[in-house]
Amino acid sequence: MTTGCGIVAMGASWGGVHALGVVLAAVPADLPAPVVIAQHRGEDGPAGLAPVLGRRSALRVVEATDKQAMRAGHAYLAPPGYHLLVERGALALSTDEKERFSRPSIDVLFDSVASAYAEEAIGVILTGASDDGAAGLARIRHSGGLTVVQEPATAERRRMPDAALAAVNAHRILALDEIAPFLVKVCAEGGP
Amino acid sequence: MAEPRPPVRRRDLEAVEIDLLAEGIYEAYGFDFRRYSRPSFRRRIWRRVEAEGLSSISELLARVLHDPPCMQRFLSDLSVNVSAMFRDPAFFRVFRAKVVPLLRTYPFVRIWNAGCSTGEETLSVAIVLKEAGLYDRTRIYATDMSEATVEQARTLTYPINKMREYTANYIEAGGTRSFSEYYAADGERVMFHPSLAENVVFAQHNLVTDRSFNEFHVILCRNVMIYFDRVLQEHVHKLLYDSLTHFGVLGLGGRETIELVSHRDAYVPLDETARLYRKVA
């Protein structure tokens, strides 16, 4: 039984910068939960993704710092070369091995979200050419959280949403532009 | 008569198991993981549970208590801070530009690489100091909590398939020589030149339970405290502070902040982006 809206976790890979931009641009500043994001990108890539996404969003989009307190109205991006994890109310980083060739890993983030937030977690899998995130989304589902997968036909790369749907009986399969309104509605009503 | 209490929920049970594991290891072996950052600690616990072919954290507790080699394996999991030579090349560029000139003003330099893991960062610093002509008057103390990890670091050997990445990092970090001068290949491994370790003291030291053992001009403790909770970070920051000379330099990982620590006012940034700070009070 999902009880809504303690945290929104999003995972994306190939095509994710565009997809995240679309979702974040449609989320209002008063979304009552913090957003955490694992977007695959190069280890030493420029740290310019947060401002790019932030310009289009009412949320404050920042790169995560270790042990930073999470606040509603903010979106926290996994820094390149680190896994992003959460505990209740705060972020944590690790430099552990890559998972499925990825660091940040969506599975690592979602697993920590499931453990810390259980039925208050919302997990969203967006476009990507990877299987990362499927196991993590299953963990969120198993812990009672709400699971959303981008409709594969609307994804720039459909492998990641396909993999997630193969692993999880997701609560919602939504076109890209339906995701933000759904999150807003769920958080306002406290349930799907 | 007291009402029977409702059963605890699954994730609370897991938290109980993690507490018991940390407590048991502390009582039996003296290693203190009780204030490790929970999300990472939990993840490493489950990896060891799976690697041992077990199905719960409680089973791992039983095994580490009764089977010291299992404790050693778990300790290696917890100690290994996956690193690379010249990881975060920008840090080493700044180190060359801003720390090396400070070190030139000292007749003898002591550096502490705290949480050295298998030595990648230690050798990177050694190479920078060699190239700056400072190595001969430097001693680097490289410590890790795991004796097995320190032992591995002492071998100066790494998989040959890492050399492409390390070479690229070295060049991006401002290295001007041929990186392959520093090592010799031997099958699947390479061994770095023993002269790089001439002035390196590899030793076992536990940041959580051991004390300060010297005063240093530079302490590098990068991406080590991300595995600690804030209470333990505070404790270790005090240890590092006590181990730095006045005007000594502290280097943290690129995504760590000194802002959450009470010693923050004792430091001024030497380079904020590189997370290099100078002790001024």
Side-chain angles (χ1 to χ4, degrees):
Chain A
M1 178 57 196
T2 58
T3 56
C5 205
I7 190 167
V8 177
M10 299 204 280
S13 186
W14 188 304
V17 175
H18 169 73
L20 286 166
V22 170
V23 175
L24 292 177
V27 172
D30 62 357
L31 189 79
V35 178
V36 289
I37 300 167
Q39 158 72 48
H40 292 168
R41 48 187 164 148
E43 187 97 343
D44 301 308
L49 184 55
V52 166
L53 294 172
R55 270 195 294 277
R56 302 184 55 186
S57 179
L59 300 179
R60 290 194 55 177
V61 183
V62 296
E63 286 217 357
T65 301
D66 182 55
K67 303 298 176 310
Q68 189 174 14
M70 280 188 282
R71 293 163 58 191
H74 289 62
Y76 302 94
L77 273 176
Y82 291 85
H83 293 302
L84 174 63
L85 303 91
V86 305
E87 51 196 320
R88 276 201 85 88
L91 304 167
L93 299 174
S94 105
T95 54
D96 283 0
E97 305 81 342
K98 293 179 179 181
E99 294 275 343
R100 291 172 193 275
F101 313 107
S102 302
R103 189 176 56 204
S105 148
I106 302 164
D107 281 340
V108 169
L109 173 63
F110 280 24
D111 180 52
S112 74
V113 164
S115 173
Y117 284 88
E119 68 276 7
E120 294 169 69
I122 302 172
V124 183
I125 291 291
L126 300 172
T127 170
S130 156
D131 296 338
D132 190 19
L137 195 71
R139 283 274 301 132
I140 290 179
R141 182 74 157 99
H142 185 71
S143 302
L146 185 62
T147 50
V148 179
V149 176
Q150 181 179 359
E151 163 60 54
T154 73
E156 194 169 326
R157 286 289 183 280
R158 60 177 295 154
R159 179 168 162 190
M160 209 160 80
D162 277 337
L165 290 172
V168 188
N169 180 19
H171 292 91
R172 288 288 189 281
I173 304 167
L174 299 172
L176 187 58
D177 59 1
E178 297 170 336
I179 291 173
F182 176 73
L183 296 174
V184 171
K185 180 165 159 286
V186 167
C187 287
E189 294 170 3
Chain B
M1 215 173 75
E3 289 282 311
R5 287 211 262 156
V8 287
R9 291 186 299 179
R10 205 179 117 70
R11 72 188 158 108
D12 297 329
L13 264 185
E14 187 188 62
V16 170
E17 288 182 288
I18 293 173
D19 284 340
L20 290 172
L21 178 66
E23 202 63 47
I25 289 171
Y26 180 63
E27 291 295 337
Y29 293 99
F31 295 107
D32 192 352
F33 299 113
R34 294 174 297 176
R35 291 229 161 252
Y36 265 48
S37 174
R38 269 305 159 95
S40 297
F41 187 46
R42 174 182 167 275
R43 194 161 175 83
R44 289 180 171 195
I45 289 169
W46 277 111
R47 290 181 78 99
R48 182 43 52 194
V49 168
E50 283 160 21
E52 300 286 328
L54 305 172
S55 57
S56 76
I57 296 172
S58 300
E59 286 174 21
L60 181 63
L61 171 59
R63 184 166 291 182
V64 297
L65 290 182
H66 294 287
D67 180 12
C70 176
M71 181 66 225
Q72 278 306 319
R73 294 191 291 275
F74 188 38
L75 199 59
S76 295
D77 300 341
L78 291 164
S79 161
V80 170
N81 173 15
V82 176
S83 193
M85 291 189 73
F86 295 95
R87 176 182 156 93
D88 192 2
F91 172 85
F92 286 94
R93 270 204 311 274
V94 175
F95 189 92
R96 279 183 209 269
K98 295 192 176 175
V99 179
V100 163
L102 295 176
L103 300 185
R104 287 193 196 287
T105 65
Y106 297 116
F108 192 80
V109 178
R110 282 187 306 276
I111 295 177
W112 182 14
N113 187 193
C116 68
S117 192
T118 41
E120 291 87 343
E121 186 173 77
T122 312
L123 292 184
S124 306
V125 171
I127 287 170
V128 167
L129 295 174
K130 279 263 189 204
E131 295 181 359
L134 282 171
Y135 185 77
D136 290 341
R137 52 187 164 107
T138 302
R139 177 144 299 161
I140 304 175
Y141 296 78
T143 64
D144 197 272
M145 70 167 175
S146 158
E147 184 60 50
T149 303
V150 170
E151 200 53 53
Q152 174 62 38
R154 285 193 188 108
T155 67
L156 311 180
T157 61
Y158 300 91
I160 197 164
N161 61 17
K162 296 278 189 192
M163 290 309 120
R164 182 191 293 260
E165 176 197 353
Y166 293 1
T167 303
N169 285 352
Y170 166 77
I171 292 166
E172 212 191 322
T176 51
R177 300 197 195 169
S178 165
F179 189 60
S180 59
E181 285 174 26
Y182 291 108
Y183 61 81
D186 178 18
E188 294 299 297
R189 316 276 299 169
V190 304
M191 184 179 168
F192 278 77
H193 203 279
S195 71
L196 287 173
E198 229 161 43
N199 296 339
V200 176
V201 180
F202 284 109
Q204 191 273 339
H205 177 276
N206 190 320
L207 287 168
V208 181
T209 49
D210 292 338
R211 292 165 186 244
S212 175
F213 59 96
N214 210 328
E215 269 205 338
F216 301 94
H217 304 100
V218 177
I219 299 177
L220 297 185
C221 189
R222 300 175 64 230
N223 294 325
V224 175
M225 285 184 279
I226 58 176
Y227 291 101
F228 302 162
D229 77 4
R230 283 186 60 186
V231 173
L232 187 52
Q233 288 184 348
E234 188 74 26
H235 170 82
V236 174
H237 263 288
K238 179 170 188 334
L239 173 67
L240 301 183
Y241 175 85
D242 290 342
S243 306
L244 264 183
T245 60
H246 198 61
F247 294 130
V249 174
L250 174 65
L252 302 176
R255 290 287 145 195
E256 296 178 87
T257 176
I258 206 165
E259 290 305 316
L260 299 172
V261 180
S262 62
H263 279 94
R264 65 182 174 268
D265 296 331
Y267 294 95
V268 295
L270 181 64
D271 188 288
E272 185 68 60
T273 311
R275 300 295 200 259
L276 282 162
Y277 303 91
R278 262 194 125 175
K279 173 174 166 178
V280 293

